[in-house]
């Protein structure tokens, strides 16, 4: 399916594991089908929520192949192919394109970081080498660096860079890049709690952790706002804001996988260095899920 900057909710999929740490492909199939049944507008695999830093390249490729096969063109599949090594990012991007990915998510180079020109070349070189759309991923809380506004401005003019997942939580930053948004460059919230504020400045929706738990609700919030039903969207957003925030009471994806396991969705454990939710937070999350009518 061609990726045309859809307006909606794109789920940042978890990766379900078995107790022995292996990928649970049966559970992954069920979770993907659950998303599609709930009218999720797109699937992101191998994002932060999918625990890709703890998986081998071979596992990454197997998960991508399985996801593309199960989804079977019903919604776009976006694959996180980013790396802090530009040549590795190019290699993985070409591989996932050839496997049938509809778009790619490219994170800013973490740990080694980069100056503005190096940051620009990191993204542009990858976009030059593939034929499917590329989305920038700005998440300084994870990477230790933000994509400079000037670099976003330059990259927004690249014919194969079609948008950004903005996960800094900084509305001032979002406002500074809002003028880049248009038919050829989309803005997606990477933070569920500020989806509507970002849509108010031209955003197309959210790449969502919350959608793992309540995919239909997340889809409807974005759909309502895009259709002009702002009051209804805001009402639903505020109704579930406590749960959205609760899914970040510890580092993502620990809380969301814990919530899914409580709901019987078989997300399985995390891989180290991530581990189970603390007892205090487990009790708080369970109470929040009950309050939301999910338990």
């Amino acid at each position: 399916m061609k990726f045309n900057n859809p307006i909606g909710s794109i789920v940042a999929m978890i990766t379900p594991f078995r107790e022995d740490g292996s990928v649970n492909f049966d559970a992954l199939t069920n979770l993907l089908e659950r998303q599609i049944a709930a009218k999720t507008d797109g699937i992101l695999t191998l994002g932060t929520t999918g625990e890709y830093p703890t998986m081998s390249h071979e596992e990454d490729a197997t998960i991508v192949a399985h996801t593309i096969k199960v989804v079977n063109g019903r919604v776009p599949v976006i694959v996180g192919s980013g790396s802090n090594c530009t040549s590795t990012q190019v290699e993985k991007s070409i591989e996932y394109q050839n496997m049938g990915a509809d778009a790619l998510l490219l994170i800013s180079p973490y740990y080694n970081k980069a100056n503005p020109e190096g940051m620009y070349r990191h993204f542009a070189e990858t976009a030059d080498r593939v034929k499917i759309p590329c989305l920038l991923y700005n998440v300084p809380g994870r990477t230790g660096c933000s994509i400079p506004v000037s670099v976003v401005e330059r990259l927004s003019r690249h014919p194969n860079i079609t948008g950004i997942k903005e996960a800094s939580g900084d509305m001032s930053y979002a406002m500074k890049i809002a003028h880049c948004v248009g038919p050829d460059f989309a803005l997606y919230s990477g933070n569920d709690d500020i989806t509507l504020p970002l849509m108010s400045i031209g955003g197309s929706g959210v790449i969502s952790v919350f959608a793992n738990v309540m995919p239909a609700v997340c889809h409807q919030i974005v759909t309502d706002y895009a259709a002009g039903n702002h009051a209804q969207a805001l009402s639903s957003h505020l109704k579930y804001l406590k749960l959205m925030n609760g899914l970040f009471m510890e580092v993502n994806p620990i809380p969301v996988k814990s919530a899914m396991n409580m709901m019987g969705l078989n997300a399985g454990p995390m891989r180290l260095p991530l581990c189970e939710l603390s007892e205090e937070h487990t009790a708080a999350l369970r109470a929040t899920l009950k309050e939301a009518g999910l338990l």
Side-chain angles (χ1 to χ4, degrees), residues 92-279:
K92 295 176 76 173
S93 296
I94 292 171
E95 178 181 3
Y96 300 150
Q97 171 188 262
N98 293 342
M99 292 171 68
D102 299 299
L104 302 167
L105 184 70
L106 308 178
I107 198 166
S108 56
Y110 42 88
Y111 186 71
N112 48 359
K113 305 183 182 181
N115 63 15
E117 182 60 26
M119 187 89 70
Y120 172 80
R121 294 183 192 181
H122 174 75
F123 291 113
E125 183 167 335
T126 306
D128 287 342
R129 297 284 299 277
V130 296
K131 298 179 181 178
I132 56 176
C134 298
L135 298 175
L136 310 176
Y137 184 14
N138 187 54
V139 57
R142 295 278 184 173
T143 63
C145 59
S146 185
I147 307 173
V149 171
S150 61
V151 174
V152 176
E153 291 170 344
R154 291 177 68 190
L155 291 169
S156 70
R157 297 190 288 271
H158 191 290
N160 207 32
I161 295 178
T162 64
I164 184 170
K165 176 184 178 183
E166 209 308 277
S168 70
D170 183 349
M171 282 302 300
S172 177
Y173 176 92
M175 288 296 296
K176 290 173 184 175
I177 64 170
H179 68 91
C180 299
V181 175
D184 300 319
F185 191 81
L187 169 64
Y188 293 99
S189 176
N191 300 73
D192 286 293
D193 60 339
I194 58 171
T195 297
L196 296 190
L198 258 69
M199 291 190 73
S200 75
I201 60 171
S204 294
V206 61
I207 299 179
S208 172
V209 174
F210 171 65
N212 282 282
V213 175
M214 302 191 77
V217 168
C218 193
H219 164 81
Q220 195 60 50
I221 288 171
V222 176
T223 299
D224 281 340
Y225 194 91
N229 300 323
H230 295 170
Q232 179 59 47
L234 179 59
S235 176
S236 296
H237 194 264
L238 294 177
K239 179 179 180 180
Y240 295 107
L241 183 61
K242 182 178 179 180
L243 176 56
M244 293 176 191
N245 289 331
L247 296 178
F248 290 89
M249 61 175 60
E250 290 188 18
V251 66
N252 178 50
I254 293 174
V256 69
K257 291 188 83 171
S258 300
M260 294 171 75
N261 286 327
M262 291 177 194
M263 295 167 63
L265 292 174
N266 199 17
M270 279 64 64
R271 284 184 175 178
L272 287 172
L274 303 185
C275 64
E276 64 275 3
L277 199 64
S278 69
E279 290 186 11

Side-chain angles (χ1 to χ4, degrees), residues 31-83:
L31 292 174
L32 289 168
E33 292 292 353
R34 177 175 178 264
Q35 289 292 327
I36 292 170
K39 299 183 179 180
T40 288
D41 301 285
I43 303 288
L44 168 66
T45 188
L46 301 188
T48 304
T49 311
E51 295 179 75
Y52 81 91
T54 62
M55 291 188 288
S56 68
H57 184 68
E58 291 74 21
E59 285 178 313
D60 287 345
T62 305
I63 289 168
V64 171
H66 185 84
T67 299
I68 290 170
K69 179 180 178 181
V70 172
V71 173
N72 194 28
R74 289 177 288 177
V75 296
V77 173
I78 307 162
V79 180
S81 60
S83 173

